[in-house]
Amino acid sequence: ECSFIMISLCLLIQLSFYPLAAFFRPNHCCCLIPTDVQCVIYAGPDQDFVGRELCFASNEDTITIVDVSDKQEPTQLSRSTYNHGYTHQGWLTEDHAYFIFDDEMDEFTKNVPTQTYVLDVRNISTPVLVGAHTGRTGAVDHNLYVVGDLVYQANYQAGFNVLQMQDLSTATFVEGGYFEVFPDGSGNNFNGAWSNY
């Protein structure tokens, strides 16, 4: 029985499962983890997957959904791409209908305002990118989490931002507030707020 999940993103996404004791072996080899994964017992609108353990992986250039219910044979269910910089991290809405995510490099490399992307995952096998919300600054977004209808974001130099969901089918949010943590500006550099809890 596996009691720990290790995510290895060396070449392609590979979810590997190891007993917790394996991590105490001195010769255990693992890869760096360049992005983030949210795993849930799925309770969303796609009835084919209700009750299954699904992982939503932000994989540098894709959002990949993997069924990990069978730890011996994880199954990739979908892999979604978009005009990206570096797909970094995201979080499901509480109803598991949408995956809201950030791209850590688009503001930096494309010189665009903060972008918060929305992927419609009501059909797990064929997710649809519905759009992106444009923020008030050009700060790089890093980590975000969803509670109720609020998205709590750490956007480096812009600090801690809170977005309220209005219409996710069109990626529409309203900024509910923010807390500035970097007094020297809100540019597209990598200092300031990294995450929030």
Side-chain angles (χ1 to χ4, degrees), residues 99-134:
F99 187 73
I100 302 169
F101 66 99
D102 54 37
D103 184 311
E104 191 175 13
M105 293 300 290
D106 57 354
E107 295 86 10
F108 187 73
T109 60
K110 298 176 185 178
N111 202 30
V112 297
T114 304
Q115 303 290 300
T116 303
Y117 296 89
V118 178
L119 189 68
D120 180 339
V121 293
R122 291 178 292 179
N123 183 328
I124 294 294
S125 301
T126 56
V128 176
L129 181 69
V130 298
H133 167 77
T134 300

Side-chain angles (χ1 to χ4, degrees), residues 43-115:
D46 192 334
Q47 294 302 304
D48 291 341
F49 299 100
V50 170
R52 309 284 299 170
E53 186 174 5
L54 304 185
C55 291
F56 294 74
S58 301
N59 274 355
E60 296 184 14
D61 61 353
T62 68
I63 300 296
T64 304
I65 304 173
V66 180
D67 185 337
V68 298
S69 300
D70 180 347
K71 305 299 184 273
Q72 302 304 312
E73 293 189 38
T75 304
Q76 179 177 300
L77 303 175
S78 64
R79 189 171 177 91
S80 303
T81 61
Y82 67 103
N83 184 14
H84 66 278
Y86 184 88
T87 312
H88 179 260
Q89 186 266 352
W91 210 253
L92 284 165
T93 54
E94 290 187 351
D95 62 1
H96 295 178
Y98 293 91
F99 187 73
I100 302 169
F101 66 99
D102 54 37
D103 184 311
E104 191 175 13
M105 293 300 290
D106 57 354
E107 295 86 10
F108 187 73
T109 60
K110 298 176 185 178
N111 202 30
V112 297
T114 304
Q115 303 290 300

Side-chain angles (χ1 to χ4, degrees), residues 3-195:
S3 57
F4 187 85
I5 298 175
M6 178 192 155
I7 298 136
S8 171
L9 299 169
C10 293
L11 299 173
L12 296 173
I13 181 168
Q14 174 186 350
L15 295 174
S16 303
F17 303 90
Y18 298 96
L20 187 56
F23 287 91
F24 296 105
R25 292 186 205 137
N27 294 328
H28 179 74
C29 176
C30 62
C31 300
L32 296 174
I33 302 171
T35 62
D36 199 81
V37 175
Q38 180 188 16
C39 297
V40 298
I41 302 301
Y42 182 74
D46 192 334
Q47 294 302 304
D48 291 341
F49 299 100
V50 170
R52 309 284 299 170
E53 186 174 5
L54 304 185
C55 291
F56 294 74
S58 301
N59 274 355
E60 296 184 14
D61 61 353
T62 68
I63 300 296
T64 304
I65 304 173
V66 180
D67 185 337
V68 298
S69 300
D70 180 347
K71 305 299 184 273
Q72 302 304 312
E73 293 189 38
T75 304
Q76 179 177 300
L77 303 175
S78 64
R79 189 171 177 91
S80 303
T81 61
Y82 67 103
N83 184 14
H84 66 278
Y86 184 88
T87 312
H88 179 260
Q89 186 266 352
W91 210 253
L92 284 165
T93 54
E94 290 187 351
D95 62 1
H96 295 178
Y98 293 91
F99 187 73
I100 302 169
F101 66 99
D102 54 37
D103 184 311
E104 191 175 13
M105 293 300 290
D106 57 354
E107 295 86 10
F108 187 73
T109 60
K110 298 176 185 178
N111 202 30
V112 297
T114 304
Q115 303 290 300
T116 303
Y117 296 89
V118 178
L119 189 68
D120 180 339
V121 293
R122 291 178 292 179
N123 183 328
I124 294 294
S125 301
T126 56
V128 176
L129 181 69
V130 298
H133 167 77
T134 300
R136 68 180 162 77
T137 74
V140 174
D141 45 348
H142 194 257
N143 287 333
L144 63 83
Y145 302 96
V146 173
V147 178
D149 67 344
L150 299 176
V151 178
Y152 297 92
Q153 300 180 302
N155 291 345
Y156 280 112
Q157 288 191 0
F160 176 67
N161 291 5
V162 179
L163 298 178
Q164 184 173 31
M165 300 173 204
Q166 298 293 301
D167 181 359
L168 291 181
S169 70
T170 59
T172 303
F173 299 85
V174 172
E175 186 174 57
Y178 63 93
F179 184 79
E180 192 77 45
V181 298
F182 190 77
D184 293 339
S186 295
N188 60 2
N189 287 306
F190 299 95
N191 42 7
W194 186 82
S195 194

